[in-house]
Amino acid sequence: MPPATAFSLLLLLSFIFHPSFSFPFAPPPPPINTTPPGYRTVTPPPAPTESYRSRFYSNRSTRKRYVTSRFPPVKKTATRSRRLLPGRYYLRTFTVYDNYDGKSHSPSFDLSVEGTVVFSWRSPWPEDISRYGAYSDLIFFVSDGDADVCLYSIATDPPVIGSLELIQIDPASYDPVLTGNDSSILVNYGRLTCGSSQWGPGFSNDTDVFGRAWQSDAKFRSSNSVGIKSVTAVRNVVNTGTSPNYFPAKLYESAVTLTGTTGSSLEYSLPVDAKLDYLVWLHFAEIDVSVNGKGERVFDVVVNDENVTRIDIFKEVGGFAAYSYHHVAKNLSVDTLVVKLVPVVGSPLICGLENYAIVPADVITVPEQAAAMQELKESLRIPERMGWNGDPCAPTSWDAWEGVTCHLNKDGSGLMIFQIDLGSQGLKGYISDKIVLLTNLVSLNLSSNSLGGTIPAGLGQNSLKKLDLSNNQITGSIPDSLSSSNLQLVILNGNKLEGQVPEELYSIGVHGGAIDLSGNKGLCGVPSLPDCPLFWKNGGLSNGGKIAIGVSCGVVFILALVITFICIRRRRNDYDFGLPQELVSLAAKRNKYQRQKSLMTLEMESQHAKGFIPSYN
């Protein structure tokens, strides 16, 4: 596969799968850009020296959007239309080269819608297409609120887009049950109006609420059709503009038929691609005033020699009323779809014809893993040059995002991320925790970048076998999830990791694997590394240390409770002690007696000192 450039956008095409440019649409006349009713002017694309950012214009009432841009030759530069209501959408682009870069070399590129490649442009373009451009369109289903279209440039050719339009249409339009709804994309291979000149080629001339462009059928009529004449309605045609397809009234105001009763068929040859199914939609209205009843005009519809139905317009809806019929031609083996209207009674008549390739939708990345990759894109700060845009793995005909390898899941319903190899890419972010959602990831190499942050907890628990995060600036500890028995290679040298290394992780080297933890000064606990401090692990307290501190705190708390209890008990005894009442009374009498005795003795000593001798008479 050659180097690719991709632009993820909302896109609509019609000339799909036509490298030879056998387009069903004729190029529209200049000017390239006009002003649609109710819209701002769609400005010309910027000069090559200006910004390549896309510019959108919208009209809420009709849910239309326009974009004009050119894209530089880098891998998968992209934008995405978000917040869309789930449902069916009509997309149309205008593409023109006009030698905008002065190189006289129209670009080669492919285009995908929702992960499915739908058409290819190959240089050199036809002169009229290159100079005046061409419109193209398709119908697809949006289920997740986002619409992605990618332009994949061949070699260094930058894709070019003149304008882009997105319109939400009736979910029942174009028989979604018959055509596969969200399992396929309807790509326009021809939309013809019969009996009138080309109309509705651009934004300003649209009279179709879907924005469908119709062109004259003249160049697609087979040479076998002779005696062609046009018929024009003399009064209004009813039953037009009704749901779910809202076909415009103008489509049924003209028709072609055959002159006289020559017996020849009305035949159309439409360019297609083999091995695809095609939805053929035929439009009729009995606008010939010479036919006034059923059975007056009857003809068979034959598609690639298969007689698919018999039509009597007047019998179905009467005169001046719109009627349509559709058929799916399956698995064509030729590159031309031939539609014949073979007369049974009178001459056949037709107002319009549409032909859509039913392109099977390619498998896409499982939504959970696609979302995880978008998160990883942001956290790793993936540079634009790497083209990480759109679906990480789809389309399968092109390579996945640079450095990403994808595989189908077991039931073949989606794509899974298998390997990520982004060594030496100048990344300066961190590893998002969402990486653990990549449950099928076998190998992860982010070595020799400038990544910071920590190793996400949970990394390595699933299918991971090889991990190389060497020579970054990753901090923190090694999570226990890396002790997974699946890992065979763990390269973490040259970082800023710290803490105790899980013994199970180190045993990878013992069991025949490879492990390198050198250059991390903070790691400890396994041979060739320092011993870890007691009760210390992974840059903090180990579980044993935490338990020891908890036990110590418990013992101290219990001792404090015991001491507090004893103090309170002693305080109660001091205040509650008292002598019996009898002892108090006895002590009081004794004290009184002692005081009296002391007073008598003191008085006698005083008298004796004065020489007074008491008389006993």
Side-chain angles (χ1 to χ4, degrees):
M1 182 64 63
T5 301
F7 170 70
S8 207
L9 242 222
L10 304 165
L11 214 47
L12 12 307
L13 307 174
S14 148
F15 331 124
I16 300 203
F17 301 106
H18 283 288
S20 62
F21 291 94
S22 300
F23 297 133
F25 288 127
I32 295 172
N33 297 298
T34 57
T35 304
Y39 292 81
R40 295 167 57 186
T41 300
V42 182
T43 59
T49 56
E50 298 180 17
S51 171
Y52 287 98
R53 185 181 299 275
S54 303
R55 292 181 282 183
F56 285 87
Y57 305 88
S58 64
N59 182 318
R60 292 184 179 179
S61 62
T62 55
R63 294 176 180 169
K64 293 185 178 181
R65 295 186 181 183
Y66 292 91
V67 62
T68 174
S69 188
R70 296 191 183 99
F71 311 105
V74 298
K75 290 187 177 180
K76 256 192 174 179
T77 50
T79 103
R80 171 180 292 178
S81 179
R82 298 180 181 273
R83 299 180 181 177
L84 297 178
L85 296 174
R88 217 160 168 80
Y89 283 82
Y90 172 86
L91 296 127
R92 179 172 70 173
T93 70
F94 177 78
T95 305
V96 64
Y97 173 59
D98 199 25
N99 197 28
Y100 78 93
D101 55 3
K103 296 181 179 179
S104 299
H105 174 72
S106 51
S108 296
F109 58 91
D110 290 344
L111 181 140
S112 72
V113 176
E114 295 290 274
T116 301
V117 174
V118 287
F119 93 119
S120 299
W121 289 82
R122 292 295 180 266
S123 183
W125 300 5
E127 179 60 30
D128 54 352
I129 298 291
S130 178
R131 183 174 181 181
Y132 299 119
Y135 289 98
S136 52
D137 61 84
L138 55 82
I139 296 171
F140 76 113
F141 189 84
V142 173
S143 58
D144 59 359
D146 295 338
D148 288 324
V149 173
C150 295
L151 297 177
Y152 297 86
S153 180
I154 306 299
T156 58
D157 290 349
V160 294
I161 291 293
S163 59
L164 179 67
E165 183 181 13
L166 171 67
I167 305 172
Q168 186 174 11
I169 60 178
D170 195 301
S173 60
Y174 289 98
D175 201 341
V177 175
L178 181 64
T179 57
N181 201 13
D182 57 345
S183 65
S184 62
I185 298 172
L186 295 182
V187 180
N188 178 22
Y189 268 62
R191 186 179 294 115
L192 312 178
T193 177
C194 303
S196 66
S197 59
Q198 180 177 338
W199 62 276
F203 297 119
S204 61
N205 297 324
D206 284 343
T207 57
D208 187 319
V209 295
F210 282 10
R212 290 165 292 206
W214 302 78
Q215 69 177 110
S216 173
D217 67 327
K219 66 178 293 186
F220 300 99
R221 295 187 204 129
S222 172
S223 58
N224 296 329
S225 299
V226 295
I228 300 293
K229 74 170 184 177
S230 297
V231 181
T232 303
V234 296
R235 66 174 188 264
N236 292 337
V237 178
V238 298
N239 297 339
T240 64
T242 58
S243 65
N245 297 303
Y246 299 92
F247 294 120
K250 188 172 182 180
L251 175 63
Y252 299 94
E253 293 174 355
S254 65
V256 295
T257 185
L258 300 175
T259 59
T261 57
T262 61
S264 64
S265 300
L266 187 56
E267 183 176 324
Y268 291 93
S269 296
L270 305 173
V272 294
D273 288 302
K275 299 182 180 180
L276 285 176
D277 296 346
Y278 288 84
L279 174 66
V280 181
W281 210 283
L282 305 173
H283 301 277
F284 308 101
E286 189 53 80
I287 58 175
D288 188 344
V289 293
S290 66
V291 176
N292 299 303
K294 60 183 180 180
E296 297 182 16
R297 188 194 305 278
V298 182
F299 53 91
D300 290 334
V301 176
V302 179
V303 178
N304 277 20
D305 297 326
E306 178 188 358
N307 193 328
V308 297
T309 190
R310 178 163 288 183
I311 300 290
D312 184 340
I313 306 171
F314 202 98
K315 179 182 177 180
E316 297 291 342
V317 294
F320 291 89
Y323 172 69
S324 64
Y325 171 83
H326 60 278
H327 168 75
V328 173
K330 293 184 176 294
N331 196 22
L332 298 188
S333 59
V334 294
D335 59 3
T336 302
L337 180 69
V338 178
V339 178
K340 287 183 184 180
L341 304 183
V342 181
V344 176
V345 178
S347 298
L349 176 146
I350 185 170
C351 295
L353 184 152
E354 295 176 88
N355 184 32
Y356 294 91
I358 304 175
V359 181
D362 203 350
V363 290
I364 60 175
T365 306
V366 173
E368 294 79 8
Q369 297 210 3
M373 290 298 289
Q374 290 290 343
E375 292 285 344
L376 197 61
K377 169 191 172 182
E378 298 298 327
S379 69
L380 295 179
R381 300 180 188 175
I382 300 295
E384 284 297 324
R385 61 177 170 80
M386 297 185 66
W388 274 37
N389 297 288
D391 190 289
C393 302
T396 54
S397 56
W398 279 85
D399 295 334
W401 287 359
E402 183 176 348
V404 177
T405 304
C406 305
H407 285 176
L408 280 171
N409 56 11
K410 292 182 179 180
D411 60 6
S413 62
L415 294 163
M416 315 285 282
I417 309 301
F418 180 76
Q419 177 177 317
I420 299 176
D421 186 356
L422 298 176
S424 303
Q425 294 294 333
L427 308 181
K428 298 181 179 180
Y430 62 95
I431 305 173
S432 170
D433 292 340
K434 298 296 184 181
I435 197 172
V436 299
L437 297 178
L438 304 180
T439 54
N440 298 78
L441 186 64
V442 172
S443 176
L444 176 63
N445 176 16
L446 300 175
S447 62
S448 301
N449 288 292
S450 300
L451 299 177
T454 60
I455 300 175
L459 181 64
Q461 287 182 341
N462 297 300
S463 57
L464 193 65
K465 294 182 179 180
K466 299 180 180 180
L467 175 65
D468 188 352
L469 303 179
S470 60
N471 300 314
N472 281 286
Q473 300 176 18
I474 300 174
T475 59
S477 60
I478 298 176
D480 292 335
S481 61
L482 289 187
S483 302
S484 168
S485 59
N486 292 324
L487 280 167
Q488 301 171 358
L489 175 70
V490 178
I491 309 298
L492 299 176
N493 61 287
N495 281 286
K496 300 179 180 180
L497 298 170
E498 59 184 2
Q500 185 171 354
V501 177
E503 293 182 4
E504 296 86 350
L505 176 64
Y506 189 77
S507 67
I508 291 174
V510 177
H511 293 90
I515 183 170
D516 188 349
L517 304 175
S518 61
N520 292 278
K521 296 182 179 180
L523 292 180
C524 61
V526 296
S528 76
L529 294 177
D531 293 333
C532 294
L534 185 64
F535 298 142
W536 195 254
K537 181 180 180 180
N538 296 339
L541 286 173
S542 66
N543 291 335
K546 294 176 182 177
I547 293 173
I549 291 177
V551 171
S552 300
C553 291
V555 170
V556 171
F557 180 72
I558 292 173
L559 289 175
L561 287 178
V562 171
I563 293 172
T564 301
F565 176 78
I566 294 174
C567 291
I568 292 175
R569 187 70 181 221
R570 287 180 177 177
R571 193 175 293 115
R572 284 180 180 176
N573 291 337
D574 291 344
Y575 284 101
D576 292 344
F577 178 78
L579 296 174
Q581 185 64 32
E582 295 78 3
L583 292 178
V584 174
S585 300
L586 181 62
K589 291 178 180 180
R590 183 178 178 181
N591 291 337
K592 182 177 179 182
Y593 171 79
Q594 291 291 340
R595 285 196 302 273
Q596 291 177 349
K597 182 179 178 181
S598 298
L599 290 173
M600 291 178 61
T601 302
L602 181 62
E603 184 178 358
M604 290 178 63
E605 290 177 354
S606 176
Q607 291 179 358
H608 180 76
K610 294 179 180 181
F612 175 72
I613 300 175
S615 175
Y616 294 101
N617 296 323

